[in-house]
Amino acid sequence: MPSTDDSPRSASASFDSGSEGDDGRIHRFSLAERIIHRVTAVLMIVCILTAVVLYNGSFSIAIGHRHLIEVIHVYCGFALPVPMVLGAVSVAYRADLHRLGRFSSADSRWLRSRTRRDGTIRVGKFNAGQKLNGALTSSSILVLLATGIIMYFVTLAPLPWRTGATFVHDWFSIAVGLLVIGHITFAMKDPEAREGMRTGWVTRQWARREHAAWLHEMSDGADGGQTREPVDP
């Protein structure tokens, strides 16, 4: 059996294993994780929409209030990393960050496979596509934040730096927009994945089909007597 463990077993068992409702549903995301996801999503969408208005002349003229749109864009951009930073107080969130940051040999096989969704390759809590999306999105946010600071606070850097920052910021904005569109597209194809992010719970059947190694990991933890719900400090 290929190894698909993407987090320490002890950490996983402490808030995943045994987290099963009376109807057999499995706890997937804590309240803190769901709030972080929602707030980050709102900030990201606002940044994208305001960027479209600022960079598209026809939209800018039709909507007007350019200064207000710019202020909203800047402050939402500055706030974008805040939910993820504050989320560090959550045990479940930190453990899932560890999972997302660990790329296994099974993930490589999953990416290369043309039948990756048939359950043949046992996937942990996050598949390789989700891990790549998380890495690209988080790193892009940092780049956009750094370049945005250089662009907004004009005394911090000389003109050539600000010009380069503007170029990088524009292209990374396009890349992030495409990532978000792709993320939403894949989410729309999987109603139960959306349910898991909305309520925190998924069915055992879905977990067995999409994330069999994660389900097995939880079952092993439950056998060891670890039965408490995910909690955030």
Side-chain angles (χ1 to χ4, degrees):
M1 180 186 303
S3 172
T4 54
D5 185 17
D6 45 16
S7 73
R9 297 297 289 269
S10 58
S12 169
S14 66
F15 45 76
D16 278 337
S17 60
S19 300
E20 184 171 345
D22 294 337
D23 58 355
R25 292 171 69 82
I26 307 297
H27 198 279
R28 181 162 172 81
F29 293 116
S30 68
L31 176 61
E33 291 177 289
R34 302 198 307 275
I35 291 175
I36 292 166
H37 184 268
R38 290 168 188 170
V39 174
T40 303
V42 169
L43 291 172
M44 179 68 79
I45 290 173
V46 171
C47 284
I48 291 173
L49 293 179
T50 52
V52 170
V53 174
L54 291 172
Y55 283 95
N56 187 291
S58 58
F59 285 149
S60 184
I61 293 172
I63 295 174
H65 306 287
R66 182 178 177 84
H67 178 68
L68 177 60
I69 298 296
E70 182 179 351
V71 170
I72 294 172
H73 180 81
V74 168
Y75 282 97
C76 284
F78 287 159
L80 200 50
V82 173
M84 293 180 282
V85 173
L86 294 180
V89 302
S90 164
V91 176
Y93 180 72
R94 292 199 306 271
D96 277 351
L97 283 182
H98 180 87
R99 296 174 189 264
L100 283 167
R102 184 170 180 176
F103 206 85
S104 69
S105 58
D107 292 323
S108 298
R109 292 195 299 274
W110 189 90
L111 285 174
R112 293 194 303 266
S113 175
R114 294 185 177 181
T115 57
R116 60 178 65 97
R117 305 307 290 265
D118 65 358
T120 303
I121 302 174
R122 292 166 60 87
V123 176
K125 188 170 185 178
F126 302 104
N127 62 45
Q130 292 165 333
K131 292 178 180 181
L132 284 176
N133 180 74
L136 291 172
T137 301
S138 57
S139 58
S140 295
I141 287 174
L142 293 177
V143 172
L144 290 171
L145 177 63
T147 54
I149 289 173
I150 293 173
M151 293 163 60
Y152 189 73
F153 299 102
V154 295
T155 59
L156 289 180
L159 179 59
W161 284 37
R162 298 200 303 273
T163 302
T166 302
F167 177 82
V168 173
H169 193 88
D170 290 350
W171 281 103
F172 266 81
S173 297
I174 295 173
V176 168
L178 294 175
L179 278 174
V180 171
I181 291 172
H183 182 67
I184 293 173
T185 300
F186 280 107
M188 294 303 294
K189 295 178 180 179
D190 195 339
E192 187 147 3
R194 299 199 308 273
E195 178 75 11
M197 183 53 72
R198 184 169 60 252
T199 67
W201 296 84
V202 295
T203 63
R204 179 175 287 273
Q205 291 77 10
W206 180 86
R208 183 179 295 112
R209 182 180 71 251
E210 299 289 341
H211 301 275
W214 171 58
L215 180 61
H216 178 71
E217 178 185 313
M218 289 193 299
S219 300
D220 280 357
D223 292 341
Q226 310 252 359
T227 59
R228 58 192 178 93
E229 292 284 334
V231 293
D232 293 314

